[in-house]
Amino acid sequence: MTALLWGLPGDSTLAAVHAELIRLDVPLLFVDQRLVLDTTVELNVGKTVEGTVRIGDTAADLATIGAAYLRPHDGARVAAVRDQPPGSPAWRHTQEVGDVLSAWAELTPAYVVNRPSASASNGSKPAQLRDIAAVGFAVPETLVTNDPAAVAEFSAAHDSVIYKSTSGIRSRVRCLTDDIPLEDVRSCPTQFQRKVPGTDVRVHVVGAEIFATRIRSDADDYRYAARQGLPRPRLSTTDVPDDVADRCRLLTSRLGLAVAGIDLRVTPEGEWFCFEVNPSPAFLYYEYGTGQPIATAVAGLLAAAVTCAQVAR
């Protein structure tokens, strides 16, 4: 049995897991998106899920995949097709490969980190907040709107307000200030939240394991501290209370995820707020900042799944 990885070799997160799987001597199939024009995928779905991946002259039976780690990038933007117009043969082939692999990842009995349906929860931050609240986390008062008057009213009701996109597309969290033209919100529904004072904690859930990182920064969004002219965030390993760890595991399970990055903030009074869940976290920033073996843990999950599949076969 084999572990399948799908993405780009230049993705440092994927590369770290890849290296750990090699260290663990796990048989591997790397579906390199750079080679998409030389890749074909055949899928047959009935009582069983069967198929073949061919990359150039190499063919692999999908029935031999015991685990998969998925970090695909936008197929239309890889170097082989980025200059091809939508609808061109190369563009259509790229879309088809991505669609069929995604369908396989959804239907396969293999252990997948993470299935597309589970990862879809990040596509709507407001919807995800309902799941966050359902497991017992506090969530900040939130408004999603494209009405400038509603934004003004919401802002007047709170000492400080932040805003960000409602989708899973990476966006910068900013404080709402008087110099921001509220009329701009008419063109795009935006999520506004009461700014919660406290310290950021990123929790990575890997199976049953918890890796917690405390982030000290004065930036509105610590990822962009340098753009605000502020010092780099200070990262350190931390522990979270048992009930917070349990809620993180429950939330990850509720969303159907095996691995997740969860953004928390603890207030000076000790109340734990949760803002969102990343189903495909780029965890190396936190691993490098703390020394926590997150890539090793992810690879361990995959290796164990491959072993179990081999035994079951």
Side-chain angles (χ1 to χ4, degrees), residues 11 85 137 148 194 204 212 301:
D11 177 342
F137 276 120
R194 175 177 70 86
H204 289 96
L301 273 185

Side-chain angles (χ1 to χ4, degrees), residues 201-213 215 222 235 248-249 252 258-264 278 280-287 290 292 294 297-298:
V201 176
R202 163 58 84 93
V203 168
H204 289 96
V205 180
V206 182
E209 293 189 81
I210 295 288
F211 300 92
T213 302
I215 304 104
Y222 64 81
L235 276 59
C248 287
R249 294 188 186 96
T252 301
V259 173
I262 302 177
D263 292 323
L264 306 175
N278 188 329
S280 187
F283 52 74
L284 282 193
Y285 172 73
Y286 306 92
E287 180 165 319
T290 63
Q292 296 176 99
I294 305 173
V298 174

Side-chain angles (χ1 to χ4, degrees), residues 216-267:
R216 292 179 173 85
S217 176
D218 293 326
D220 297 333
D221 187 331
Y222 64 81
R223 300 170 300 175
Y224 300 97
R227 296 190 186 181
Q228 289 186 255
L230 296 171
R232 294 179 62 182
R234 292 166 291 161
L235 276 59
S236 59
T237 301
T238 190
D239 294 318
V240 297
D242 289 345
D243 63 321
V244 172
D246 288 342
R247 286 201 292 272
C248 287
R249 294 188 186 96
L250 180 59
L251 178 57
T252 301
S253 176
R254 180 184 177 92
L255 295 175
L257 301 169
V259 173
I262 302 177
D263 292 323
L264 306 175
R265 182 169 291 175
V266 56
T267 70

Side-chain angles (χ1 to χ4, degrees), residues 164-209:
K164 57 185 175 182
S165 75
T166 61
S167 74
I169 297 174
R170 185 182 179 99
S171 66
R172 179 177 170 183
V173 178
R174 298 174 184 262
C175 269
L176 184 63
T177 55
D178 293 338
D179 61 334
I180 294 175
L182 295 185
E183 286 297 317
D184 288 353
V185 80
R186 291 190 187 279
S187 63
C188 181
T190 304
Q191 179 166 291
F192 298 86
Q193 292 181 318
R194 175 177 70 86
K195 184 177 181 181
V196 176
T199 302
D200 287 306
V201 176
R202 163 58 84 93
V203 168
H204 289 96
V205 180
V206 182
E209 293 189 81

